[in-house]
Amino acid sequence: MADIATQLFYATCNPAHREFYSALMHDWQEAGQPVEIDNHGAGLAVHSVAWTTDAGAPKLFRLYAGAGVDSPCIEIDLDQWRNWFGEAVVDICVCTINAIDGLSIRRHNSRIAILNPGHMSGPMQQALREALVSWAYRANDLFGA
């Protein structure tokens, strides 16, 4: 059973995003990585002794339910990725995301947001889940944990 924070996060999501985020978070945890819920959304985090701070484990992706005028989205902080992994890994991440045909992406400064992932077609959702979860499997090597 999901903990209370996770249930509250799901309650803020519309049904399509609740279903998509639930599957994505499950796959992420099956890959052996933590999901951290806070007041802003859900973070797909990784175990790392070297990079863990008071804010918790490093979060590779942030899931937002969307509120008010904001769309539900998955956000990637590319500056943080550069800090952790270097430019070559950032390029791989961006190319992987861009290779999924039809994604609606918003770029702002060093952040990219994949908009309305719960409303994409089934094949697009599957491709996105596989792309994101692949980073959960790579994370230990990337962080040297």
Side-chain angles (χ1 to χ4, degrees), residues 60-83:
L60 298 187
F61 307 101
R62 297 282 310 176
L63 313 179
Y64 294 101
V69 296
D70 293 329
S71 297
C73 70
I74 299 171
E75 187 176 84
I76 306 163
D77 184 335
L78 298 178
D79 278 348
Q80 193 65 60
W81 277 60
R82 279 184 194 93
N83 181 43

Side-chain angles (χ1 to χ4, degrees), residues 30-94:
E30 285 290 308
Q33 301 295 353
V35 173
E36 294 185 359
I37 309 290
D38 59 28
N39 292 334
H40 305 290
L44 301 182
V46 294
H47 296 289
S48 172
V49 174
W51 291 95
T52 300
T53 67
D54 290 339
K59 290 154 192 73
L60 298 187
F61 307 101
R62 297 282 310 176
L63 313 179
Y64 294 101
V69 296
D70 293 329
S71 297
C73 70
I74 299 171
E75 187 176 84
I76 306 163
D77 184 335
L78 298 178
D79 278 348
Q80 193 65 60
W81 277 60
R82 279 184 194 93
N83 181 43
W84 292 328
F85 311 126
E87 192 66 40
V89 174
V90 169
D91 290 344
I92 292 168
C93 176
V94 171

Side-chain angles (χ1 to χ4, degrees), residues 72-138:
C73 70
I74 299 171
E75 187 176 84
I76 306 163
D77 184 335
L78 298 178
D79 278 348
Q80 193 65 60
W81 277 60
R82 279 184 194 93
N83 181 43
W84 292 328
F85 311 126
E87 192 66 40
V89 174
V90 169
D91 290 344
I92 292 168
C93 176
V94 171
C95 287
T96 301
I97 298 300
N98 286 336
I100 302 171
D101 191 37
L103 288 184
S104 177
I105 298 174
R106 178 182 64 220
R107 299 175 196 280
H108 181 69
N109 296 329
S110 69
R111 297 175 189 264
I112 60 174
I114 302 164
L115 303 177
N116 294 309
H119 295 296
M120 299 182 308
S121 71
M124 286 174 62
Q125 285 185 1
Q126 184 64 33
L128 181 58
R129 277 180 38 214
E130 288 172 2
L132 299 183
V133 172
S134 72
W135 291 99
Y137 288 105
R138 294 182 202 157

